[in-house]
Amino acid sequence: MDSTAEIRYEHGSRQTTFIEPESGGNANTSGSSGGMKVTLISPAFPFSGRVPMVPPVLEYLGALTLKEAPDAEVTLIDANVNEPAPEQIEADLVGISAMTATVTWAYAFSDALRGLGKKVALGGIHPTALPQEAKEHADAVVVGEAESVWRQVLNDVSRGNLKPFYHGERIPLDGLPLPLAGALKGPYHFRAVFTARGCPYRCSFCSVRKFFGDTIRYRPIDSVAEEVEKCAGKVYFNGDDNIWGGDIKRSIELFTELSRGSKKYWYGFGDLRAPQGREGENMLKAARKSGLFSVWAGWETSSSEGLKGYRASAKQGTNREEAIRRIKDHGINVTLFVVLGGRSDTRDDFNYALELSERLGVGIHPVLLTPLPGTELYDEYKPYLFREKGWDNYTGVNAVFDHPTMTAREREEAFYQTSLSLLSWKRIWKHLLDTPRGGFPMNHLLLLMEKVPMRRAMRKAYRGWCTA
Ligand code: B12
Ligand code: SF4
């Protein structure tokens, strides 16, 4: 799960980017989608509003579209920057990418577009988990990854023969196009780079394994390095589910290659097991040298019983506190994700998150446990879900199921109080002091860049919640 999600930015001017079709775009690889207009949309977030990251899916799917249909006209829209009116969209095909939290917006927007006679394809993690539901709101649903089917979709649109479902296969990640970096202008600070897909762990609350598979597929190291050089800014986000991957030797090779390039800083999600292994030290050394300054790790919960319940023990290794110390010793900052408010949690678990942050000198990112469709947790929690709460409540800040001892309001209040305490000036200051000195000044500056807007966003969200 991710956290920069909670950084809000004020709304700015309209931002839609039109990308010129390749000049003289000749042989259309699709053979028949000549000059078609394709608009790709990343929906508005219900909770976080504007985030400082370019929506990776737009730049990537835009590039894939031009790879498959070089003479297509591609328009990218980040609805967090500019929420367009459906009447403004002129396209032969509109592709909308949705996760669970954003699918309510995606469905409503798609319904409006279809009401105007436009063709819409929905894709991404939520339509893949619930394709039949998504089909109610779309002309076509792309289930799974786009690479193996996108050309077919474009062909079918141009022939007026769109199918209801396209099933993407999990193919090797060689030859992926470079994202259309810079095409989407906006108040962005970061761009994401992906080096792998898939996760071998089995956390019951996570959608990733079912979507991308339980084996890891890696991109060739030279294409990752090329992308970092050409597309990533001075500071970038490694969007992998686990920056260490499952193969430490490969990670060291990747980090070594990255450190040969121009100096860039990066951050991402990593498990706590890899840094503990025999090769852990070497890996951390190479990662730091390549510019890694901050790791977000899933601590998830305090007790081993709780970890077992979430099937999240394996990724913790045998001594997770030692892993945190090691990472920090290498000058790398640590933030831990903690899930709260599960049916076996109590109010004390919220206090535990505060204690953990003090004791380990790390940032904590609390999330209210959210059973996302397509996960094992969803099946387990199905009987307790609040049916009246739509998918736009599935953001990690709302209680969406019944709890044996705490009301939804009590859990949400506890969540906000915990988050606000973690973002108090006193704790931000303490976190700055606890930030590894080896990372000065970049780690400290970036920590402030992250915490201050997050604090502002959380306070605003809390005020909104109090009046709701
Ligand atoms: C980057 C990212 C973010 C960024 C998004 C930035 C942005 N503006 O888009 C930010 C930080 C904002 C974010 C926020 C959140 N995120 Co997030 N995020 C990711 C991450 C790491 C990468 C997604 C990505 O961009 N991948 C790159 C693109 C190229 O790949 P892709 O999206 O998978 O697209 C491929 C296919 O899915 C498909 N496809 C996707 N869309 C479409 C559309 C069409 C038309 C077609 C044809 C195909 C297609 O084709 C692509 C190529 O194969 C994923 C983890 C993951 N492994 O997916 C989590 C993930 C998507 N996030 C998740 C969650 C839960 C959240 C939050 C709710 C977390 C939170 N509590 O704060 C928030 C939601 C926002 C909010 N608060 O309201 C979950 C979603 C689970 C679910 N069922 O919805 C994921 C899967 C993480 C996880 N471990 O579970 N996130
Ligand atoms: S480690 Fe767990 S939470 Fe992270 S991607 Fe893998 S299954 Fe999901």
Side-chain angles (χ1 to χ4, degrees):
M1 289 206 185
D2 213 342
S3 69
T4 36
E6 291 174 3
I7 300 177
R8 271 170 197 257
Y9 280 71
E10 296 309 315
H11 277 258
S13 58
R14 175 183 159 76
Q15 181 56 62
T16 302
T17 299
F18 175 73
I19 297 163
E20 295 291 339
E22 279 191 357
S23 54
N26 41 26
N28 182 343
T29 46
S30 68
S32 60
S33 55
M36 71 184 301
K37 291 183 178 176
V38 180
T39 294
L40 300 169
I41 303 181
S42 182
F45 292 123
F47 168 67
S48 46
R50 177 100 36 100
V51 292
M53 190 191 302
V54 181
V57 70
L58 291 186
E59 289 190 342
Y60 178 72
L61 268 189
L64 189 67
T65 305
L66 291 177
K67 181 183 174 201
E68 303 299 3
D71 53 356
E73 289 176 14
V74 179
T75 304
L76 309 179
I77 298 177
D78 177 356
N80 286 296
V81 176
N82 162 53
E83 198 161 327
E87 298 76 19
Q88 287 176 298
I89 309 275
E90 271 180 43
D92 300 299
L93 178 68
V94 181
I96 308 180
S97 176
M99 60 174 100
T100 301
T102 59
V103 82
T104 306
W105 187 96
Y107 287 163
F109 199 74
S110 180
D111 292 345
L113 287 172
R114 295 175 78 213
L116 295 166
K118 325 235 182 227
K119 296 283 176 214
V120 181
L122 286 174
I125 208 135
H126 187 92
T128 296
L130 298 176
Q132 298 296 340
E133 176 193 281
K135 183 64 191 73
E136 299 287 307
H137 305 273
D139 298 285
V141 178
V142 175
V143 178
E145 299 174 30
E147 287 77 4
S148 66
V149 291
W150 194 227
R151 182 185 299 185
Q152 188 63 49
V153 175
L154 297 174
N155 272 343
D156 289 353
V157 172
S158 60
R159 292 193 196 112
N161 186 25
L162 206 51
K163 316 279 186 309
F165 296 102
Y166 294 84
H167 292 270
E169 287 168 31
R170 293 176 188 144
I171 58 177
L173 304 182
D174 304 337
L176 300 187
L178 289 184
L180 301 174
L184 197 62
K185 303 280 182 282
Y188 305 118
H189 297 309
F190 307 113
R191 163 166 293 107
V193 173
F194 297 83
T195 93
R197 291 182 189 165
C199 178
Y201 296 121
R202 315 179 69 86
C203 311
S204 65
F205 46 73
C206 177
S207 319
V208 163
R209 196 172 56 92
K210 284 221 174 115
F211 188 89
F212 290 113
D214 54 11
T215 52
I216 305 183
R217 281 166 293 143
Y218 297 103
R219 285 179 66 193
I221 286 178
D222 54 352
S223 24
V224 175
E226 184 193 0
E227 185 173 326
V228 169
E229 279 304 308
K230 289 189 178 157
C231 307
K234 276 200 170 1
V235 181
Y236 66 94
F237 167 61
N238 175 329
D240 294 352
D241 295 302
N242 189 350
I243 54 171
W244 318 126
D247 176 353
I248 293 194
K249 199 166 148 277
R250 187 259 182 191
S251 299
I252 294 177
E253 276 170 28
L254 171 68
F255 301 152
T256 308
E257 184 59 34
L258 291 177
S259 55
R260 290 198 186 104
S262 44
K263 183 76 182 158
K264 298 193 175 192
Y265 289 94
W266 61 281
Y267 65 103
F269 308 120
D271 67 51
L272 291 173
R273 181 185 182 149
Q276 295 169 45
R278 255 186 305 145
E279 280 295 294
E281 279 293 327
N282 292 338
M283 184 192 72
L284 288 171
K285 206 166 151 193
R288 177 66 199 164
K289 205 168 161 216
S290 72
L292 175 63
F293 70 90
S294 182
V295 175
W296 298 72
W299 179 274
E300 318 304 6
T301 186
S302 53
S303 69
S304 51
E305 277 313 296
L307 282 174
K308 265 191 221 140
Y310 294 140
R311 304 178 77 163
S313 314
K315 65 177 179 178
Q316 311 290 345
T318 49
N319 190 344
R320 52 184 178 165
E321 295 201 11
E322 174 57 23
I324 291 166
R325 272 189 291 276
R326 267 197 189 190
I327 299 172
K328 289 181 69 180
D329 285 350
H330 282 270
I332 301 165
N333 209 356
V334 178
T335 295
L336 300 177
F337 281 98
V338 175
V339 276
L340 297 167
R343 283 182 49 85
S344 0
D345 289 338
T346 65
R347 183 65 180 83
D348 288 344
D349 291 289
F350 290 84
N351 298 333
Y352 163 80
L354 299 177
E355 186 265 324
L356 192 68
S357 133
E358 296 285 327
R359 188 160 57 81
L360 300 180
V362 295
I364 299 283
H365 183 80
V367 180
L368 277 183
L369 183 68
T370 306
L372 293 162
T375 63
E376 285 163 23
L377 187 79
Y378 186 77
D379 297 334
E380 187 187 332
Y381 272 55
K382 219 171 178 173
Y384 313 108
L385 293 177
F386 296 137
R387 295 283 158 198
E388 72 283 6
K389 293 209 175 179
W391 295 130
D392 50 343
N393 286 281
Y394 284 57
T395 54
V397 303
N398 300 314
V400 294
F401 53 82
D402 188 37
H403 188 278
T405 57
M406 293 173 79
T407 65
R409 202 77 191 158
E410 281 165 352
R411 272 171 289 155
E412 287 168 1
E413 173 76 38
F415 167 80
Y416 278 115
Q417 291 308 337
T418 308
S419 300
L420 290 171
S421 294
L422 287 163
L423 292 166
S424 67
W425 288 122
K426 196 176 122 214
R427 280 207 163 79
I428 292 178
W429 179 243
K430 166 123 188 2
H431 192 181
L432 269 179
L433 294 177
D434 287 334
T435 296
R437 291 210 187 102
F440 185 82
M442 204 56 191
N443 285 11
H444 300 73
L445 259 172
L446 290 163
L447 185 86
L448 280 178
M449 269 175 73
E450 172 198 316
K451 294 284 175 194
V452 175
M454 224 183 230
R455 177 187 147 88
R456 201 182 306 133
M458 194 54 74
R459 284 161 63 90
K460 191 169 165 194
Y462 180 56
R463 283 196 300 273
W465 179 83
C466 287
T467 51

